[in-house]
């Protein structure tokens, strides 16, 4: 059988507390490495399962304050314009942001460690897996 298994979107099942996704995907119908979009397979169910998984994950993640969300959106818009009009300025701003992100991230990782916040809680707050959260924290807090 080609593909990851008989059920699509296992992550959606885990996010829903272990329930199986609503739509099985018959991997036996697919020819070898044929992309799903080329196969004669109805993907609306698996896509719906994946979107439900994203919604559950997004809803469980820590919510950013509205002011920070607006600030980040504005920053993205400005950087997009600079990337076209003043690419060197955009790169300098990104280099400065990378330093700021590393420093602030390191401080936050130290605080989480000092507070003994469980990795599962960190992963949920970030909207990611425990493995990804551990990798992220290890990059910030070697």
């Amino acid at each position: 059988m080609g593909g990851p298994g008989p059920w699509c979107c296992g992550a959606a099942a885990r996010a829903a507390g272990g329930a199986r996704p609503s739509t099985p995907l018959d991997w036996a119908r697919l020819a070898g490495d044929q992309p799903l979009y080329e196969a004669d397979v109805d993907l609306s169910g698996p896509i719906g399962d994946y979107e439900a998984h994203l919604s559950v994950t997004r809803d469980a993640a820590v919510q950013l304050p509205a002011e920070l969300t607006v600030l980040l959106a504005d920053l993205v818009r400005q950087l997009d314009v600079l990337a076209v009009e003043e690419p060197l300025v955009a790169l300098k701003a990104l280099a400065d942001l990378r330093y700021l992100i590393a420093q602030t991230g390191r401080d936050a990782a130290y605080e989480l460690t000092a507070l003994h916040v469980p990795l599962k809680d960190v992963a949920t707050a970030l909207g990611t897996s425990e493995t990804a959260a551990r990798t992220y924290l290890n990059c910030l807090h070697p």
Side-chain angles (χ1 to χ4, degrees):
M1 276 188 214
W7 289 87
C8 185
C9 303
R14 287 187 295 281
R20 291 197 147 227
S22 63
T23 309
L25 186 57
D26 183 6
W27 291 99
R29 290 186 56 201
L30 301 175
D33 293 333
Q34 181 182 20
L36 288 175
Y37 63 86
E38 290 179 0
D40 185 25
V41 176
D42 178 15
L43 297 176
S44 61
I47 290 171
D49 288 342
Y50 181 68
E51 288 173 353
H53 160 69
L54 291 179
S55 178
V56 168
T57 302
R58 198 176 304 117
D59 290 348
V62 69
Q63 300 300 307
L64 296 178
E67 302 83 29
L68 183 56
T69 301
V70 169
L71 179 66
L72 291 173
D74 188 46
L75 179 62
V76 168
R77 280 190 294 277
Q78 288 185 39
L79 289 171
D80 284 346
V81 170
L82 284 173
V84 173
E85 295 177 2
E86 298 284 340
L88 290 175
V89 173
L91 287 176
K92 173 62 171 127
L94 292 170
D96 290 351
L97 281 171
R98 192 172 295 196
Y99 173 79
L100 176 65
I101 289 166
Q103 187 63 46
T104 305
R106 198 168 20 259
D107 293 346
Y110 279 120
E111 283 299 315
L112 291 171
T113 301
L115 295 170
H116 304 289
V117 176
L119 186 60
K120 181 179 181 183
D121 293 350
V122 174
T124 299
L126 295 177
T128 191
S129 68
E130 288 184 37
T131 301
R134 181 181 297 106
T135 299
Y136 186 66
L137 288 173
N138 287 340
C139 289
L140 296 173
H141 182 229

